[in-house]
Every structure is written in structure tokens, then in C-alpha cells.
Amino acid sequence: MAITTREGKTQTTLAEINMVPFIDIVLVLLIIFMVTAPVIQSGIDVTLPKTTVVRQLTEQKIIVTIDSKQTVFLQNDPVRLDELGAKIHEKLPDPTRQSIYLRADESVPFGTFAIVMDRLKAVGIDNISVVTQPLSEKAKK
């Protein structure tokens, strides 16, 4: 677009979009998401036992977690053992056809782990996947 001034000079206006502010905003958002993404995924802090055979989690399923203080969580909510079956029935209409991921801290005694497994079996869940971490390359040798 050209503008003619009173003196007879023709001036053009800047018709381009200035991309620098847009790029600045996008980079700031990228940094914010990069910093917050690991925090969102972490959930409950559990040191998982390490095994040589580990399969990647590909599906979104209900996760039961036992932390180092032997507190049981359903997803990210603490739950008492006697309420575990009822809470699972709230989240899953037919738990007999579903599978559940069970995460337990490596310091949890086997007795606590077995009690939680027993409660899950009592609800009708037979497909329980135990979540572990892979061994490092140095530990495998």
C-alpha cells in the first residue's frame, strides 16, 4: 500500500508480519512444556525393581501403586486396602475383562505386595502386570 504525503513523496507501509514476537512466544511455551512434562508423568515416587526383561507400556490402564511407606494408590489417589475393590469397580464396569498395572517400590515387603495382589484377584482381576525398570547395560554383564 502506498501513501502520498503533502510534499509529493510516495511512502510504502510495511505489509509483512513481524515473526520475531511469535517465535519468542513459541520458544517460551516450548521451554515451559519441556520443564513441566517430566513432573506431570512422575506421579507417585516409586523406586521400581530392575529386571532384564522389560516390555514397554503401550496401553493406558489402571495403575495400582504401593510406595515405600506401604501406602496403596489407585491411579494417583490414596486408597485403603478394604476400599480397593469398590474403587476399581467404580473405574471399571467389568474388571474381569481388564488388566491392571501394579507398581511397587523395591523396598516394599513381599507380604504387602501379596496382600494387594490377593485383593485384586478377589475383585476378579486375573491379568495383573507388574511394572519394573530395565537393568542398566553395566549391570547385565
Side-chain angles (χ1 to χ4, degrees):
M1 173 189 226
I3 300 174
T4 307
T5 62
R6 290 184 188 164
E7 293 86 29
K9 296 181 181 177
T10 304
Q11 295 179 339
T12 60
T13 59
L14 182 62
E16 297 175 8
I17 296 173
N18 189 359
M19 293 296 291
V20 174
F22 175 72
I23 293 170
D24 289 344
I25 291 171
V26 169
L27 287 176
V28 167
L29 288 174
L30 178 67
I31 291 170
I32 289 171
F33 288 131
M34 286 172 55
V35 169
T36 58
V39 174
I40 292 171
Q41 289 180 339
S42 67
I44 301 155
D45 189 25
V46 174
T47 305
L48 295 173
K50 295 175 176 42
T51 59
T52 54
V53 179
V54 177
R55 195 179 73 200
Q56 283 294 104
L57 302 179
T58 56
E59 302 173 28
Q60 289 288 4
K61 296 185 181 178
I62 292 197
I63 300 172
V64 177
T65 306
I66 309 168
D67 68 358
S68 60
K69 297 174 186 163
Q70 299 181 28
T71 306
V72 178
F73 294 87
L74 182 60
Q75 300 297 73
N76 289 329
D77 303 323
V79 64
R80 293 193 342 240
L81 276 176
D82 56 343
E83 297 175 341
L84 185 61
K87 296 279 185 179
I88 288 176
H89 275 291
E90 288 176 11
K91 294 196 182 273
L92 297 174
D94 185 13
T96 57
R97 295 180 177 220
Q98 298 289 329
S99 62
I100 286 187
Y101 291 137
L102 180 58
R103 297 173 61 218
D105 193 277
E106 63 185 359
S107 65
V108 171
F110 182 73
T112 304
F113 185 81
I115 290 171
V116 172
M117 291 267 300
D118 182 55
R119 297 294 164 106
L120 293 173
K121 294 272 187 181
V123 173
I125 298 172
D126 292 324
N127 191 358
I128 301 170
S129 299
V130 178
V131 180
T132 60
Q133 274 186 333
L135 282 173
S136 65
E137 289 299 320
K138 292 178 184 176
K140 288 182 182 178
K141 295 179 181 179

